[in-house]
Amino acid sequence: MPDDEGNSEGVLLSGEENAAVRVKLEREKRSWSTTTLSDRMNDVGFDMNPSAVWRIENRKRRINLDEAIGFAEIFGIPLSNFVGPPSLATMGRAMELIDNVVAAYRASNRANHEARKARDQLDAYLADHPDIREEADVMVSNAIATELMKSNEEYGPASDS
């Protein structure tokens, strides 16, 4: 791991380096000593001494996943936030909103996948029953139009911005 302190503020650090920077940032924010933090880690089941905390903070020792989970728990922050870019660490609300955007994006992707799957299943069925295709397509179009109108009433029209 690099010893260059100038890299500690960069957004492109690895999760492990982000966590090392974050340990120090969160410890200092609370005015805790390395001893206080190591005591808290010991209290939640991690055998850690003050020297280990210092070595982690100064990137002389790697942090393992279990320790990262312990630190995140002690600091009361989600693990994804803990290993995120240090430049955003002081902006907890920004990380929360970023997490919300990512979660909504994932949910949207899952919903799009389910919609494509449902449409593919309907298309396969209609290929075997061509006599009802036109009526089924009209029903789907009407139902989607109705849902779009409901959505526009509730959320406003979609924008491209």
Side-chain angles (χ1 to χ4, degrees):
M1 288 183 276
D3 291 326
D4 182 9
E5 288 296 318
N7 288 336
S8 66
E9 294 303 314
V11 171
L12 298 178
L13 292 177
S14 72
E16 188 172 357
E17 288 200 33
N18 289 346
V21 171
R22 191 69 185 268
V23 168
K24 186 172 186 174
L25 189 146
E26 293 294 330
R27 180 182 62 76
E28 289 177 346
K29 183 167 81 173
R30 291 163 176 77
S31 300
W32 292 349
S33 66
T34 55
T35 301
T36 301
L37 181 53
S38 70
D39 288 347
R40 289 178 184 259
M41 286 292 283
N42 288 318
D43 289 346
V44 295
F46 296 96
D47 186 23
M48 185 164 293
N49 60 45
S51 174
V53 172
W54 182 90
R55 289 191 324 269
I56 288 169
E57 290 179 353
N58 290 280
R59 291 178 233 120
K60 306 288 185 196
R61 176 187 179 281
R62 297 186 71 163
I63 182 171
N64 69 44
L65 179 59
D66 289 336
E67 291 169 340
I69 292 168
F71 282 123
E73 181 180 316
I74 287 169
F75 296 138
I77 55 179
L79 183 61
S80 61
N81 184 319
F82 178 70
V83 298
S87 60
L88 297 178
T90 57
M91 300 176 194
R93 180 68 176 147
M95 289 302 294
E96 179 184 327
L97 294 171
I98 289 167
D99 288 345
N100 290 347
V101 168
V102 171
Y105 179 78
R106 286 182 183 143
S108 175
N109 278 344
R110 282 191 300 273
N112 285 333
H113 173 75
E114 291 299 318
R116 281 191 306 274
K117 182 177 161 185
R119 184 64 211 207
D120 289 348
Q121 290 171 341
L122 178 59
D123 286 342
Y125 181 84
L126 292 176
D128 293 336
H129 302 87
D131 53 312
I132 64 168
R133 175 175 283 286
E134 187 176 333
E135 185 177 357
D137 285 341
V138 167
M139 288 180 67
V140 168
S141 294
N142 286 344
I144 290 173
T146 299
E147 289 302 313
L148 182 58
M149 288 185 340
K150 287 179 187 176
S151 178
N152 285 342
E153 289 172 8
E154 187 171 347
Y155 304 111
S159 68
D160 293 333
S161 57

